[in-house]
Amino acid sequence: VVLPRISSRMIDIQTKMTERALELLCLPENQPCYLLDIGCGSGLSGDYISDEGHYWVGIDISTAMLDAALDRDTEGDLLLGDMGQGIPFRPGSFDGCISISAVQWLCNANKKSDIPAKRLYRFFSSLYAVLVRGARAVLQLYPENSEQLELITTQATRAGFTGGVVVDFPNSAKAKKFYLCLFSGPSTFLPKGLTESQDAHQATESTFTNERAPHKMARRGLMKKSREWVLEKKARRRRQGKEVRPDTQYTGRKRKPRF
């Protein structure tokens, strides 16, 4: 199986959108949460979730993308599944849910038996069930038109969610992003979208290059298995409350081959 290559551009975009999605989730500070990542792909979103000290489970319909996630040694649990068939977890399993660039695919009918409205309702109703009451779901998506966005929001409302759509940088052709913010409990305030005047460096996406990052490159530019990579991973596990051996001068040091 040929695994998909992950470019530095893709990593940067996915990380920024995941960061924004977690911000919109409004999770409690300094408290690890158990999150669901819909359409997790190769685990780029999950890497950021882990960096923030949370636990996660990812579901994706693509075997190749999940193989890429395993190859990248992501820390979350992975599940092969079609979100249009429902989310197969026990009620109240998750403290929140994110999804990056996936939900709009439910609007496509890949075969005659696929009815987008029914698949969307099955997805949202099962998602509503697996969330802890009062939890949020933030789904970043690329709707083709206003009718498609209305179809998605209508089915989410039918399933019991409240909330709405947050649009970041609405006047920018390149940086404009849609986030469907859903509440599984009583209605609360809907966050405002970012605008160009709020933060100049946030108004546009990063400057991209054509360079590609190999699978063995760790998150945030650290080379996998290097001392810095090991120290960061140990620090993250300590934040999660896990038992970790103390750091020493030998931490992350390469061992000589044995004969």
Side-chain angles (χ1 to χ4, degrees):
V1 177
V2 178
L3 298 178
R5 298 185 69 186
I6 304 174
S7 68
S8 57
R9 175 179 182 273
M10 186 186 304
I11 293 174
D12 194 72
I13 292 176
Q14 193 88 358
T15 300
K16 286 183 179 298
M17 291 192 294
T18 305
E19 180 180 8
R20 177 62 169 153
L22 284 186
E23 178 184 328
L24 293 171
L25 272 186
C26 296
L27 298 173
E29 295 185 9
N30 302 319
Q31 179 180 325
C33 295
Y34 193 45
L35 304 179
L36 177 63
D37 184 1
I38 303 291
C40 63
S42 60
L44 296 178
S45 300
D47 285 347
Y48 186 84
I49 293 174
S50 296
D51 285 346
E52 293 299 303
H54 302 297
Y55 304 96
W56 59 280
V57 173
I59 181 172
D60 201 279
I61 198 172
S62 170
T63 304
M65 295 301 286
L66 293 178
D67 285 341
L70 291 173
D71 186 67
R72 296 179 60 255
D73 195 26
T74 56
E75 296 187 18
D77 294 319
L78 303 172
L79 176 68
L80 177 67
D82 178 4
M83 59 182 170
Q85 296 296 327
I87 308 300
F89 292 99
R90 292 182 178 179
S93 295
F94 297 98
D95 301 313
C97 168
I98 71 164
S99 178
I100 306 298
S101 311
V103 176
Q104 72 272 0
W105 295 108
L106 290 176
C107 296
N108 299 335
N110 297 319
K111 50 188 178 181
K112 289 184 177 180
S113 59
D114 285 348
I115 302 175
K118 289 187 176 180
R119 284 171 56 79
L120 282 164
Y121 178 73
R122 189 180 296 118
F123 164 65
F124 283 120
S125 58
S126 60
L127 176 60
Y128 187 92
V130 302
L131 292 176
V132 172
R133 288 289 75 83
R136 297 186 179 195
V138 177
L139 316 175
Q140 185 276 328
L141 67 160
Y142 290 107
E144 291 184 359
N145 47 51
S146 59
E147 289 78 12
Q148 193 177 88
L149 185 59
E150 183 177 358
L151 173 63
I152 293 172
T153 55
T154 297
Q155 298 308 315
T157 302
R158 280 190 60 208
F161 283 108
T162 58
V165 178
V166 174
V167 183
D168 285 354
F169 312 117
N171 299 320
S172 171
K174 180 180 289 187
K176 185 177 183 179
K177 295 291 184 296
F178 292 85
Y179 294 88
L180 180 59
C181 297
L182 302 175
F183 312 134
S184 64
S187 298
T188 183
F189 73 95
L190 190 66
K192 293 183 179 180
L194 299 177
T195 61
E196 285 78 358
S197 60
Q198 284 179 298
D199 194 334
H201 78 271
Q202 287 183 332
T204 58
E205 294 173 352
S206 298
T207 301
F208 304 127
T209 68
N210 292 324
E211 298 175 356
R212 294 184 177 273
H215 292 306
K216 296 303 180 183
M217 285 295 289
R219 60 188 67 93
R220 295 188 179 177
L222 297 180
M223 183 63 70
K224 191 171 183 179
K225 304 300 183 183
S226 67
R227 176 177 171 82
E228 292 76 13
W229 183 88
V230 172
L231 290 174
E232 181 184 298
K233 189 168 185 177
K234 292 177 70 174
R236 183 169 62 252
R237 290 184 178 273
R238 290 191 185 99
R239 292 196 301 269
Q240 295 173 345
K242 297 180 180 180
E243 185 175 347
V244 181
R245 292 182 179 180
D247 299 335
T248 69
Q249 60 179 325
Y250 303 106
T251 300
R253 179 178 291 184
K254 291 186 179 180
R255 300 179 183 273
K256 296 181 178 180
R258 295 173 179 265
F259 295 96

